[in-house]
Short mmCIF file of all heavy atoms in Angstrom, two decimals:
data_model
loop_
_atom_site.label_atom_id
_atom_site.label_comp_id
_atom_site.label_asym_id
_atom_site.label_seq_id
_atom_site.Cartn_x
_atom_site.Cartn_y
_atom_site.Cartn_z
N ASN A 732 104.72 91.68 59.56
CA ASN A 732 104.44 93.02 60.08
C ASN A 732 105.69 93.87 60.15
O ASN A 732 105.60 95.09 60.21
CB ASN A 732 103.73 92.93 61.44
CG ASN A 732 104.65 92.44 62.55
OD1 ASN A 732 105.75 91.94 62.31
ND2 ASN A 732 104.19 92.58 63.78
N LYS A 733 106.86 93.24 60.14
CA LYS A 733 108.08 94.02 60.29
C LYS A 733 108.29 94.97 59.11
O LYS A 733 108.82 96.05 59.27
CB LYS A 733 109.29 93.12 60.47
CG LYS A 733 109.25 92.31 61.77
CD LYS A 733 109.24 93.19 63.01
CE LYS A 733 109.28 92.40 64.29
NZ LYS A 733 107.95 91.90 64.69
N LYS A 736 106.18 97.95 59.81
CA LYS A 736 106.69 98.76 60.92
C LYS A 736 107.94 99.56 60.54
O LYS A 736 108.19 100.59 61.13
CB LYS A 736 106.95 97.87 62.13
CG LYS A 736 105.63 97.38 62.76
CD LYS A 736 105.86 96.31 63.80
CE LYS A 736 106.60 96.83 65.00
NZ LYS A 736 106.79 95.76 66.01
N ASN A 761 113.45 89.49 64.67
CA ASN A 761 112.81 89.55 63.35
C ASN A 761 112.91 90.97 62.79
O ASN A 761 113.02 91.18 61.58
CB ASN A 761 111.33 89.18 63.44
CG ASN A 761 111.10 87.70 63.71
OD1 ASN A 761 111.96 86.88 63.44
ND2 ASN A 761 109.94 87.38 64.26
N ALA A 862 99.03 89.02 67.21
CA ALA A 862 99.93 88.76 68.33
C ALA A 862 100.46 90.10 68.86
O ALA A 862 100.53 91.08 68.12
CB ALA A 862 101.10 87.90 67.87
N ILE A 863 100.79 90.12 70.14
CA ILE A 863 101.36 91.34 70.75
C ILE A 863 102.78 91.06 71.24
O ILE A 863 102.99 90.15 72.03
CB ILE A 863 100.53 91.80 71.97
CG1 ILE A 863 99.11 92.17 71.55
CG2 ILE A 863 101.22 92.94 72.70
CD1 ILE A 863 98.25 92.65 72.72
N GLY A 864 103.74 91.82 70.70
CA GLY A 864 105.09 91.82 71.27
C GLY A 864 105.26 93.16 71.97
O GLY A 864 105.00 93.30 73.15
N THR A 865 105.62 94.18 71.18
CA THR A 865 105.64 95.54 71.74
C THR A 865 104.24 96.16 71.74
O THR A 865 104.02 97.16 72.40
CB THR A 865 106.55 96.46 70.89
OG1 THR A 865 105.99 96.53 69.56
CG2 THR A 865 107.96 95.92 70.81
N GLY A 866 103.32 95.60 70.96
CA GLY A 866 101.97 96.16 70.85
C GLY A 866 101.85 97.20 69.75
O GLY A 866 100.78 97.79 69.55
N THR A 867 102.93 97.42 69.02
CA THR A 867 102.91 98.44 67.96
C THR A 867 101.93 98.07 66.84
O THR A 867 101.13 98.90 66.40
CB THR A 867 104.32 98.60 67.35
OG1 THR A 867 105.24 98.79 68.42
CG2 THR A 867 104.39 99.77 66.39
N MET A 868 101.97 96.80 66.44
CA MET A 868 101.06 96.37 65.38
C MET A 868 99.61 96.53 65.82
O MET A 868 98.77 97.06 65.09
CB MET A 868 101.35 94.91 65.01
CG MET A 868 100.28 94.31 64.11
SD MET A 868 100.69 92.70 63.42
CE MET A 868 101.25 91.75 64.82
N ASP A 943 105.25 80.46 63.16
CA ASP A 943 106.50 80.51 63.93
C ASP A 943 106.15 80.30 65.40
O ASP A 943 105.06 80.68 65.83
CB ASP A 943 107.19 81.86 63.75
CG ASP A 943 106.55 82.95 64.57
OD1 ASP A 943 105.36 83.26 64.32
OD2 ASP A 943 107.18 83.48 65.51
N TYR A 946 105.52 83.85 67.82
CA TYR A 946 104.36 84.74 67.72
C TYR A 946 103.10 84.06 67.16
O TYR A 946 102.08 83.98 67.83
CB TYR A 946 104.68 85.94 66.81
CG TYR A 946 105.74 86.85 67.33
CD1 TYR A 946 107.05 86.77 66.88
CD2 TYR A 946 105.43 87.85 68.26
CE1 TYR A 946 108.03 87.63 67.35
CE2 TYR A 946 106.40 88.71 68.73
CZ TYR A 946 107.71 88.60 68.26
OH TYR A 946 108.66 89.45 68.72
N THR A 947 103.19 83.64 65.90
CA THR A 947 101.94 83.31 65.22
C THR A 947 101.33 81.98 65.69
O THR A 947 100.12 81.85 65.69
CB THR A 947 102.14 83.30 63.69
OG1 THR A 947 103.27 82.49 63.36
CG2 THR A 947 102.40 84.70 63.18
N SER A 974 101.51 87.42 60.91
CA SER A 974 102.51 88.49 60.87
C SER A 974 103.90 88.02 60.46
O SER A 974 104.86 88.78 60.56
CB SER A 974 102.53 89.20 62.22
OG SER A 974 102.35 88.27 63.28
N GLY A 975 104.03 86.77 60.02
CA GLY A 975 105.32 86.31 59.50
C GLY A 975 106.21 85.71 60.57
O GLY A 975 105.75 84.96 61.42
N GLY A 976 107.49 86.04 60.53
CA GLY A 976 108.42 85.62 61.57
C GLY A 976 108.92 84.19 61.45
O GLY A 976 109.54 83.66 62.39
C1 LIG B 1413 107.42 91.41 66.02
C2 LIG B 1413 106.35 90.45 65.68
C3 LIG B 1413 105.07 90.55 66.25
C4 LIG B 1413 104.70 91.55 67.29
O1 LIG B 1413 104.57 92.85 66.81
P1 LIG B 1413 104.54 94.07 67.82
O2 LIG B 1413 104.24 95.23 66.97
O3 LIG B 1413 105.91 94.17 68.45
O4 LIG B 1413 103.53 93.81 68.86
C5 LIG B 1413 104.12 89.64 65.85
N1 LIG B 1413 104.41 88.67 64.95
C6 LIG B 1413 105.63 88.54 64.41
C7 LIG B 1413 105.87 87.43 63.48
C8 LIG B 1413 106.65 89.42 64.75
O5 LIG B 1413 107.86 89.27 64.21
#
Side-chain angles (χ1 to χ4, degrees):
N732 70 348
K733 295 298 183 278
K736 289 169 66 179
N761 289 338
I863 297 181
T865 62
T867 309
M868 169 170 49
D943 78 297
Y946 295 99
T947 51
S974 38

